[in-house]
Amino acid sequence: MGQAARTTKLLLDLARRDQGGANTHKRRCLQATGTVLNAARRFYLEFLLAHPEKLLERVEVISKQTGEVKEALISADKLLTWAEFQTVETEAHPDPLLEWNFTRAFPDFPNRYRRSVIKDCIGKARGYLTALHSWQQSGKKKGQPGVPTASNHPTLYAGTYSLELDEMDMRQSFVRLKVYTGSQWEWVHYPTRYNRYFEQRRAEAGWEQGSPKLILGKRMAAIHFVQTKTITAQKIVASKRDPDLVTVAVDLNVKQLAVITVRQHGKIIQTRFVSDQGLDAHRYGHLRRVAKKQWQSGRPIKGERSNRQLWGHIRRQNRDVAHKTARAIVEVCEQYSGCVLLFERLRTIHAKGGSTSRRLNRKQANQLKGNINQLAKEKAYAASIVSAEVNPHGTSQYCARCGSRGVRFTFQAGQRITGKGGKLFFCPTCHYECHADFNASCNVHHSFFREYHWQPRVKPSG
Ligand SMILES: [Zn+2]
């Protein structure tokens, strides 16, 4: 039994005013909220770093399962309670530490927001202390971890915030949020990019709702709804003993993004090719432009970004295609309940040789493969389908029918040209000819069942 988790995002509408976006006051409020959160984070980070002994305190914990008493690092929840006790003024506890009075410094700061900030800072302060400790242990002179301060760790303060919201007032296209106006905290209505797909996904049966989070970025603001689902699926080892087991193998490539083959009783019963619809060539065109501009502008300046819109476009296209391909894979799996999804273990490929644009494009294609693999596994798991990774050794060189070594070839002007980049596969032993990616996909099944001599060990995962 396991758990699948996913996030459904609802963007706040920060488009232009005449297109229904939030007005300037509302935008300013979001900015002011970011600023005040920064200040609060700085406060707590300084407070926590001033008490390192508490952060690394060892306490006795009783194990829930065995009842054993052990010594362990103090939990984040206990630290949170402790930090609140030291810094927050309440009626029951009117005098916190004098120099660390959060209530005086930040009047009316919402409790939920404060807790999010403290939790965030606990993680960061502990990370720093652990790094410092291991540096001291190592006895090295160089590389002392810097104290996280506003100047040397801008990412600690700027960047994204995630705030847990305790109450959510959602009215279709508006959402009510507590934000800082610059002088006080107020409830403000924000327009959202609400749509029926969002509602469909949020209301889907079988998914449990977690508490929503407000994510504040530099140019965006969104509410993330976390959903979880309990999954019951058979273990791979148990499935493998089933003689009627259906295996779905996927071979990931560049032009044919995925070649999906389904096998049962030793026969391929279904095949699906997912083409990239010319994405690779399209992306190559863009990257040629990027490479040319990089060449013209010379050495890049540190911290400065170039070709932002173009990279954004490429990123969005890749993400879209990755989701669609992953979806196509899972759709095939869903036709066979209890099937096992098989992937080759991805190799780390370093793009080398060729022009800059070609290298950039190879790199993008490799990343896309990784994304498809990752997304397909997640989507499949949410549909109670387990996946396994097989050894990729030899899947593209050997014949899927007889197991001997074959060659790749392609047709050019009616001539057979044998070469490494060939689209087609030919086996000189049994004279089998087919699409090379199809052959590789079939070999993934063989690799899972270890049917041929050239396949060494299999390392299942998940
Ligand atoms: Zn053969």
Side-chain angles (χ1 to χ4, degrees):
M1 236 173 32
Q3 231 181 17
R6 71 178 188 189
T7 310
T8 306
K9 298 168 189 172
L10 180 66
L11 288 167
L12 299 193
D13 196 348
L14 300 178
R16 272 169 45 196
R17 184 82 191 103
D18 55 358
Q19 287 166 359
N23 65 28
T24 38
H25 171 69
K26 290 179 181 179
R27 280 155 197 268
R28 224 178 286 134
C29 285
L30 281 183
Q31 264 181 7
T33 311
T35 316
V36 78
L37 287 169
N38 263 342
R41 277 163 126 184
R42 203 170 305 136
F43 177 95
Y44 272 111
L45 203 62
E46 275 164 19
F47 168 73
L48 291 169
L49 289 177
H51 301 86
E53 70 293 337
K54 184 73 193 175
L55 275 176
L56 299 177
E57 195 184 61
R58 310 287 291 184
V59 289
E60 287 192 340
V61 227
I62 303 162
S63 164
K64 266 183 198 161
Q65 285 164 347
T66 58
E68 253 178 280
V69 182
K70 268 193 207 161
E71 202 178 68
L73 201 63
I74 187 167
S75 74
D77 282 333
K78 282 202 181 116
L79 270 178
L80 174 72
T81 320
W82 167 81
E84 286 198 313
F85 183 78
Q86 302 293 336
T87 55
V88 181
E89 204 177 296
T90 58
E91 273 178 32
H93 174 64
D95 36 47
L97 296 176
L98 253 184
E99 65 272 48
W100 297 110
N101 192 330
F102 185 78
T103 317
R104 291 274 164 80
F106 298 89
D108 292 330
F109 203 87
N111 293 349
R112 258 297 161 101
Y113 289 8
R114 186 184 63 227
R115 268 170 226 149
S116 297
V117 166
I118 299 176
K119 270 189 196 163
D120 185 36
C121 290
I122 288 172
K124 272 162 186 160
R126 260 196 184 159
Y128 164 70
L129 288 176
T130 320
L132 186 70
H133 184 73
S134 54
W135 174 76
Q136 280 164 345
Q137 291 285 310
S138 73
K140 282 181 195 160
K141 282 188 180 158
K142 278 182 185 170
Q144 177 174 10
V147 183
T149 61
S151 55
N152 70 3
H153 274 255
T155 44
L156 274 184
Y157 301 101
T160 39
Y161 305 90
S162 75
L163 298 172
E164 275 173 42
L165 302 169
D166 48 348
E167 43 191 313
M168 265 286 301
D169 191 2
M170 244 187 57
R171 294 178 193 181
Q172 297 252 322
S173 56
F174 275 89
V175 69
R176 205 162 145 256
L177 291 175
K178 196 153 204 181
V179 289
Y180 193 61
T181 60
S183 53
Q184 68 200 50
W185 291 88
E186 245 177 41
W187 287 101
V188 177
H189 283 89
Y190 282 93
T192 61
R193 298 272 184 87
Y194 181 87
N195 56 51
R196 64 199 160 97
Y197 299 110
F198 165 77
E199 195 50 55
Q200 241 174 38
R201 199 172 146 96
R202 210 169 71 94
E204 202 180 310
W207 289 91
E208 223 173 283
Q209 308 287 341
S211 60
K213 275 185 181 165
L214 172 67
I215 309 290
L216 283 180
K218 248 181 176 172
R219 268 173 221 87
M220 54 71 79
I223 295 167
H224 287 194
F225 296 85
V226 182
Q227 293 172 301
T228 50
K229 190 179 183 182
T230 312
I231 303 292
T232 42
Q234 220 177 3
K235 287 239 161 68
I236 296 274
V237 190
S239 305
K240 219 171 173 177
R241 281 189 225 113
D242 181 4
D244 297 325
L245 175 72
V246 178
T247 47
V248 180
V250 181
D251 181 57
L252 299 172
N253 277 291
V254 179
K255 298 268 156 104
Q256 296 295 336
L257 286 173
V259 179
I260 310 159
T261 51
V262 184
R263 191 178 110 160
Q264 191 182 27
H265 304 134
K267 269 187 199 147
I268 301 292
I269 51 175
Q270 194 191 337
T271 305
R272 184 167 172 188
F273 280 69
V274 183
S275 153
D276 77 337
Q277 315 265 5
L279 173 77
D280 192 58
H282 178 92
R283 194 175 50 214
Y284 179 68
H286 286 316
L287 291 170
R288 261 177 57 179
R289 201 173 147 75
V290 168
K292 191 179 176 190
K293 280 165 115 182
Q294 280 179 357
W295 173 75
Q296 281 173 331
S297 57
R299 193 185 244 201
I301 297 162
K302 210 182 166 189
E304 201 173 85
R305 295 186 60 195
S306 53
N307 300 306
R308 218 197 195 118
Q309 307 228 323
L310 211 48
W311 280 117
H313 170 69
I314 292 167
R315 206 168 40 236
R316 281 190 299 275
Q317 265 184 335
N318 273 352
R319 196 188 303 144
D320 180 58
V321 166
H323 273 285
K324 281 177 182 159
T325 312
R327 190 68 240 154
I329 293 167
V330 177
E331 264 166 23
V332 172
C333 293
E334 277 171 341
Q335 297 168 24
Y336 309 93
S337 77
C339 69
V340 173
L341 176 60
L342 305 176
F343 280 101
E344 283 182 332
R345 195 163 57 248
L346 289 178
R347 285 171 275 214
T348 37
I349 307 159
H350 294 285
K352 55 184 178 195
S355 61
T356 310
S357 37
R358 190 181 146 78
R359 273 202 312 277
L360 286 173
N361 202 21
R362 289 303 97 186
K363 209 171 156 186
Q364 289 291 318
N366 289 335
Q367 277 179 4
L368 181 57
K369 267 193 207 175
N371 288 343
I372 295 172
N373 183 304
Q374 182 70 32
L375 286 171
K377 276 183 195 164
E378 282 171 16
K379 286 182 206 285
Y381 192 61
S384 302
I385 297 154
V386 280
S387 42
E389 271 183 359
V390 304
N391 195 311
H393 171 78
T395 45
S396 57
Q397 286 110 312
Y398 292 89
C399 172
R401 206 163 73 171
C402 71
S404 35
R405 198 180 246 281
V407 284
R408 305 277 287 257
F409 72 99
T410 187
F411 273 110
Q412 262 172 31
Q415 294 280 317
R416 286 168 77 103
I417 315 257
T418 36
K420 223 181 147 200
K423 263 197 295 195
L424 302 166
F425 179 86
F426 170 66
C427 172
T429 312
C430 70
H431 294 264
Y432 177 54
E433 278 181 19
C434 65
H435 193 287
D437 297 342
F438 173 74
N439 183 58
S441 186
C442 294
N443 271 334
V444 173
H445 297 282
H446 292 310
S447 190
F448 179 65
F449 292 109
R450 280 183 255 184
E451 285 163 340
Y452 285 135
H453 60 91
W454 44 267
Q455 285 149 351
R457 288 172 296 120
V458 189
K459 210 177 173 189
S461 80

